[in-house]
Amino acid sequence: MIDPLAEVVTLLQPSARYSKLVTGAGPWHIRRSDAGQPFYCVVLEGACRLMIDGREPIELHSGDFILVPEAYGVAMSSIATVPTDAPESAPVAVAASEFRIGDQDGPADLRMLVGHCSFGSSDANLLVSLLPQIVHVRGEPRLAMLVQLVRDEFRDRRPAREVILAHLLEVLLIEALRSTAATPPSPGLVRGLADERLAVTLRRMHESPTQAWTVAQLAKEAALSRSAFFERFSRAVGLAPMAYLLNWRMALAKTMLRRSDAGIAEIAERVGYGSASAFSVAFTRHVGLPPARYARQQPVPAP
């Protein structure tokens, strides 16, 4: 059986390219702009509060993992009340890739790993639109085990620490993305797959992207009326059914144009278009380049 989330994650090629250990004590608050970069945070000990522009604050506790695939305005603060007139805290470097915020003396009441991940796919923007806007995982035993391993690596400072941490963080990212326990439940592929009826249609779209799907046919797969299916899918996934299908077909097409020797007509057929010209029009409108030109601009894959 096709696993839609596995396909998206595989195409995204996630990796943890930068991380730092942050310890905090007392009241503090800090704000940053991440210009659309994927941001993640794993709380190793203690708790803090996260604010993302346009959303309600989220309290993060020990063992929590949060991923924001497209982060812009992000603010964080201590659980302890911060005076309204308090200046923004400035992180102080205390060691390589380790920073302190808030009170500089005394024991820390918070330890967290924060950083940016990267998506190796050149289709990252397209694929990120299929993911939840926020992935917040709490109380997952597998994730807790991975967090413990990360905590041990930071504490023990053994040889090859950076290599081990990079791989552990990549597994954390994938484990969080495939978790269906996203809290709060933001729209995206994970939320759609958590709905048994919508999961059927998502799998059918991924299994048979060449089929000439209509909303009515997809609604029948979900055993819902056309209007009920359209509303339920759009609310859960964050895209209308045919918009999701178009995004997925374009992601597949771009991958084929980069990695295979297939001609435009063959690729058009493999992603559900009846002719090369219809595919070229749709691709150009969606990507901004004709498929042949897009393929010429891609780097030659390594042998």
Side-chain angles (χ1 to χ4, degrees):
M1 180 183 292
I2 293 291
D3 182 343
L5 186 58
E7 289 194 304
V8 172
V9 170
T10 299
L11 288 180
L12 266 175
Q13 303 168 44
S15 64
R17 62 178 173 81
Y18 176 73
S19 62
K20 58 187 178 183
L21 178 67
V22 177
T23 59
W28 55 269
H29 72 105
I30 191 167
R31 184 173 181 83
R32 58 186 296 161
S33 175
D34 287 306
Q37 298 185 73
F39 166 84
Y40 69 89
C41 171
V42 53
V43 181
L44 304 176
E45 297 175 16
C48 64
R49 188 172 287 110
L50 176 73
M51 289 77 72
I52 298 170
D53 284 354
R55 295 185 170 274
E56 291 295 317
I58 302 171
E59 283 198 5
L60 302 177
H61 297 270
S62 181
D64 281 13
F65 180 91
I66 193 158
L67 169 67
V68 185
E70 286 186 294
Y72 289 90
V74 176
M76 302 186 80
S77 71
S78 58
I79 292 295
T81 303
V82 181
T84 54
D85 59 349
E88 184 174 319
S89 304
V92 176
V94 295
S97 299
E98 296 187 20
F99 295 82
R100 175 88 173 209
I101 49 177
D103 294 341
Q104 297 299 306
D105 301 316
D109 54 30
L110 169 72
R111 284 182 174 82
M112 60 183 177
L113 193 64
V114 299
H116 294 122
C117 60
S118 61
F119 298 134
S121 172
S122 62
D123 308 331
N125 291 339
L126 182 64
L127 293 165
V128 162
S129 70
L130 308 181
L131 299 175
Q133 296 166 337
I134 296 176
V135 177
H136 178 199
V137 186
R138 170 179 293 165
E140 289 289 318
R142 287 170 60 87
L143 200 78
M145 178 177 63
L146 290 167
V147 170
Q148 181 63 51
L149 290 172
V150 171
R151 184 186 296 124
D152 291 346
E153 284 297 325
F154 258 102
R155 184 186 60 225
D156 297 343
R157 298 178 178 275
R158 291 178 291 180
R161 171 196 186 204
E162 298 304 320
V163 176
I164 296 297
L165 278 172
H167 287 295
L168 283 173
L169 287 168
E170 287 175 26
V171 176
L172 263 175
L173 293 172
I174 296 169
E175 187 67 31
L177 283 172
R178 75 178 188 175
S179 170
T180 57
T183 306
S186 59
L189 180 57
V190 171
R191 185 171 165 187
L193 290 172
D195 182 317
E196 290 184 3
R197 294 199 181 188
L198 298 184
V200 171
T201 63
L202 285 163
R203 291 193 178 97
R204 292 291 289 125
M205 282 191 271
H206 281 250
E207 286 170 354
S208 305
T210 60
Q211 185 161 330
W213 292 109
T214 65
V215 174
Q217 289 172 328
L218 292 169
K220 185 177 179 180
E221 295 283 342
L224 293 167
S225 70
R226 186 184 183 282
S227 59
F229 167 72
F230 183 90
E231 181 182 353
R232 188 159 160 175
F233 189 102
S234 302
R235 185 173 61 249
V237 179
L239 292 169
M242 302 315 291
Y244 179 91
L245 180 61
L246 174 62
N247 272 16
W248 180 239
R249 283 172 168 168
M250 291 299 107
L252 291 175
K254 290 173 78 174
T255 300
M256 292 176 199
L257 287 166
R258 286 197 312 274
R259 300 180 184 174
S260 77
D261 296 326
I264 302 299
E266 182 181 345
I267 292 174
E269 183 179 352
R270 288 165 64 181
V271 295
Y273 287 85
S275 68
S277 60
F279 166 67
S280 295
V281 169
F283 188 94
T284 303
R285 183 184 301 120
H286 200 80
V287 178
L289 291 172
R293 185 177 168 192
Y294 174 85
R296 287 197 299 270
Q297 291 186 0
Q298 304 310 302
V300 177

